[in-house]
Amino acid sequence: MSSQIKVSELDSSKFDITKIKKVLDLEKKYFNLLFNLFTSFNFINDLKIIELEIQKNYQFLSNVWGEKNKIKIPAERLARQYIYKNLSNLITSIYPSPVSSDIAFITNDAVINIDVKTLDYKGNKGDIHNLQFENNQSSFHNKYLDSDPNIPNSGVKVECLLPDEYSFNFEPEKPVLTYFLVIVYYDDNHSFRLYREDAFDTIYLKCLPNGLLSPLFNYDIVTNFKTYSYYDIQKGFERVYLTDDSNKVIDSVKKYVKDFPDFQLINGRSKVGAFNKYQVHPDNRIKGVSWFPVERKAKKGGSETKFYLEAVKKGNTNRVSNLRLMNRFDSEDKMRLGIKSFKIK
């Protein structure tokens, strides 16, 4: 996985350097603007009012309403209010596509997507180290995950459905930029508070690179998927039993590939699997289907597990390490941050 290189390191004969520089500076421009907005005195004060409201009504929200993530909706509501109230002079239109983040609008030079994430330190502190995003929230062109460099189309496709650029009402195309506002809280099933301890800050703003910047990251920022989906026998992909022993999974995959010449061994970054170049992926319509080991319960509710080789349909929820996004460069190769944070007192 790659952090950003400087634009001066790109081959100018292969890429539109002028356009890439423009996107770099627009990402920087709106990142600074949004960070200042979401760490302003008024925004923080309103966030504390939400905190107090949840604390006053904690039992009702837990026992009657049954909501675990009690700040999710009011946090989205707050961010939306501040965007439309404070940036109304910049907004020329809403972004009309349903494929977008929670908040999406158009300015005179860009399309801005903002997703609001609220993370519980008590239950999900591991997620604070990463950025998780859905395929409707990014335009980045990532390599297939766990692909074998010697086998084209092997691995799992990283689907990012936002366009690099968008033209509204026959205007010139504008880059589609994506930002994530992350708010960390603490909920132990008895009480709620915004996170104020030493381990993490309370508010994070993260910038996910636009697709036109993919070569600056060697097309490789996604670490893994949160979950995977697999095809079953109804789609013509019957799973293959491998073993009951977790220590024998890799050897079992290798034996299967050796016994069935239609398959090639995939040596991926984190997985060993099998690739059938004669099969056609039902969703991507690309020739070649990757099969990876899957651990499943032998009986529902039981503790015994069995391992199968199964055809991968897709990965769900992409993960990017904060370290991949932290150090960025602008059009003049000057260092800037792709993630900033703020601690509430």
Side-chain angles (χ1 to χ4, degrees):
M1 290 168 291
S2 305
S3 298
Q4 183 191 329
I5 64 171
K6 297 175 181 178
V7 69
S8 60
E9 298 178 55
L10 279 184
D11 186 344
S12 59
S13 66
K14 296 181 179 179
F15 304 101
D16 188 336
I17 301 299
T18 300
K19 183 173 286 189
I20 288 175
K21 285 185 174 183
K22 179 181 178 181
V23 175
L24 285 171
D25 287 341
L26 285 171
E27 282 192 346
K28 177 181 176 181
K29 168 187 171 180
Y30 285 102
F31 182 84
N32 291 335
L33 187 153
L34 291 172
F35 185 76
N36 290 337
L37 179 63
F38 294 140
T39 58
S40 65
F41 175 83
N42 289 336
F43 185 89
I44 299 302
N45 189 58
D46 282 343
L47 196 56
K48 290 179 178 178
I49 291 174
I50 291 173
E51 176 186 43
L52 181 60
E53 180 70 16
I54 294 173
Q55 291 171 343
K56 287 167 53 180
N57 295 281
Y58 188 88
Q59 293 304 318
F60 167 76
L61 295 172
S62 295
N63 301 331
V64 179
W65 189 245
E67 183 61 63
K68 171 59 179 172
N69 190 341
K70 303 169 184 65
I71 195 174
K72 182 178 187 298
I73 293 176
E76 291 176 0
R77 191 177 296 148
L78 180 64
R80 190 172 287 109
Q81 180 208 6
Y82 269 74
I83 287 292
Y84 294 126
K85 178 181 178 181
N86 295 278
L87 304 184
S88 60
N89 60 315
L90 300 179
I91 299 173
T92 60
S93 174
I94 64 163
Y95 181 44
S97 173
V99 181
S100 65
S101 298
D102 294 330
I103 304 168
F105 56 88
I106 300 173
T107 69
N108 64 351
D109 53 10
V111 179
I112 310 298
N113 277 255
I114 304 169
D115 190 70
V116 182
K117 292 184 176 295
T118 48
L119 294 178
D120 181 13
Y121 175 84
K122 178 69 175 177
N124 300 100
K125 68 178 178 180
D127 291 342
I128 303 172
H129 296 284
N130 304 286
L131 171 62
Q132 298 192 45
F133 68 93
E134 305 300 331
N135 56 10
N136 65 314
Q137 297 170 337
S138 174
S139 61
F140 192 84
H141 307 298
N142 207 89
K143 297 176 180 177
Y144 278 43
L145 286 195
D146 283 306
S147 61
D148 190 308
N150 299 311
I151 307 176
N153 298 335
S154 64
V156 187
K157 183 179 181 181
V158 179
E159 291 188 312
C160 294
L161 303 181
L162 285 180
D164 298 338
E165 299 175 288
Y166 175 77
S167 176
F168 177 74
N169 199 25
F170 304 105
E171 295 176 350
E173 288 190 318
K174 301 171 183 178
V176 179
L177 311 181
T178 305
Y179 301 91
F180 294 82
L181 171 64
V182 180
I183 299 172
V184 184
Y185 67 94
Y186 183 95
D187 190 333
D188 60 2
N189 294 320
H190 302 286
S191 62
F192 172 93
R193 66 179 184 272
L194 294 169
Y195 187 79
R196 293 176 171 86
E197 310 305 321
D198 293 335
F200 296 99
D201 288 337
T202 318
I203 293 175
Y204 293 81
L205 184 67
K206 305 182 182 185
C207 177
L208 189 63
N210 172 273
L212 293 170
L213 305 184
S214 301
L216 291 173
F217 295 84
N218 194 31
Y219 304 91
D220 187 17
I221 61 172
V222 176
T223 310
N224 53 31
F225 301 111
K226 187 174 182 179
T227 60
Y228 291 81
S229 299
Y230 300 89
Y231 289 113
D232 56 24
I233 193 171
Q234 294 180 344
K235 284 287 186 178
F237 298 95
E238 184 173 6
R239 66 188 185 184
V240 177
Y241 170 72
L242 292 173
T243 179
D244 291 0
D245 188 345
S246 61
N247 296 316
K248 296 180 179 179
V249 172
I250 294 177
D251 287 339
S252 298
V253 173
K254 291 179 178 178
K255 182 180 185 304
Y256 183 80
V257 170
K258 184 178 179 180
D259 292 343
F260 293 88
D262 283 355
F263 285 85
Q264 298 172 267
L265 187 69
I266 297 174
N267 285 298
R269 184 169 65 202
S270 63
K271 294 176 182 287
V272 171
F275 181 77
N276 189 318
K277 64 181 179 181
Y278 300 106
Q279 296 172 331
V280 177
H281 196 286
D283 290 295
N284 297 339
R285 308 307 303 171
I286 294 174
K287 196 169 184 180
V289 174
S290 295
W291 297 62
F292 285 108
V294 182
E295 180 181 356
R296 298 199 180 276
K297 295 290 184 183
K299 295 180 181 179
K300 189 173 182 180
S303 59
E304 288 186 36
T305 59
K306 292 182 180 293
F307 294 87
Y308 298 89
L309 193 63
E310 301 190 27
V312 182
K313 178 180 180 180
K314 64 177 181 177
N316 308 298
T317 306
N318 311 288
R319 282 188 173 133
V320 180
S321 167
N322 288 346
L323 296 176
R324 303 298 172 189
L325 304 177
M326 181 65 74
N327 295 324
R328 301 287 307 275
F329 297 97
D330 62 17
S331 65
E332 297 178 346
D333 290 347
K334 294 180 181 178
M335 176 69 74
R336 76 171 187 88
L337 294 177
I339 298 177
K340 278 187 174 183
S341 60
F342 180 89
K343 185 181 292 293
I344 289 181
K345 305 296 185 181

